[in-house]
Structure formats: structure tokens, C-alpha cells
Amino acid sequence: FSKVEQNTVVNMKDQDNLYTKMAESIAPGVYGHLDVKKGILLQLFGGIKKDTTDKIQLRGDINICIVGDPATAKS
């Protein structure tokens, strides 16, 4: 990333409704379905890997299932 791009990303944190704006930027040609877009956004960022006290490792991936009619761009 260039310095300009880095500064743009850092300055985004001060925007109002950043979570919604980022979700709305996913598949802008698909109208509505904001909750689905937010789920996809969370999937892109992932979660936090955790280790329990019993030495069990929990992966940090968020799993989502998108349900809808055939040929409605769910892949």
C-alpha cells in the first residue's frame, strides 16, 4: 500500500456508520440484503483464534450460510 492508501484506511475509523458503509459497498448492484452483506463483511475479516484452558484450539473463522433462490449470486 502507498502512504496515501494507508492514510485513507486509517482515517476511515473516524467515519460515522463505517460498518454499514462497508457492508453496503459489497455487491453494490445487489439492492437490500444488508444483513447478508454484513455477514459477508465479517467473514472477510474473520475472527480471533482462541486456546482454551484445556489446550483446545478454536479457529477464528466465522461461518455463514447464505440461503436463497437459485441463481441469485450467493456464492
Side-chain angles (χ1 to χ4, degrees):
F1 292 110
S2 70
K3 283 289 185 190
V4 173
E5 292 170 327
Q6 289 176 12
N7 289 336
T8 300
V9 172
V10 169
N11 292 333
M12 286 174 65
K13 67 178 174 50
D14 297 326
Q15 292 183 9
D16 293 334
N17 300 322
L18 178 60
Y19 180 45
T20 301
K21 287 179 183 178
M22 290 179 70
E24 289 172 344
S25 72
I26 294 174
V30 177
Y31 297 99
H33 305 289
L34 187 59
D35 289 336
V36 174
K37 292 180 180 187
K38 286 181 177 181
I40 292 170
L41 180 63
L42 293 173
Q43 179 72 30
L44 290 171
F45 282 98
I48 299 171
K49 181 180 171 186
K50 297 178 182 177
D51 295 320
T52 66
T53 56
D54 298 328
K55 306 293 183 204
I56 298 172
Q57 292 184 348
L58 302 174
R59 64 184 179 159
D61 299 333
I62 296 173
N63 295 302
I64 59 172
C65 177
I66 301 174
V67 180
D69 294 331
T72 54
K74 298 177 299 295
S75 304

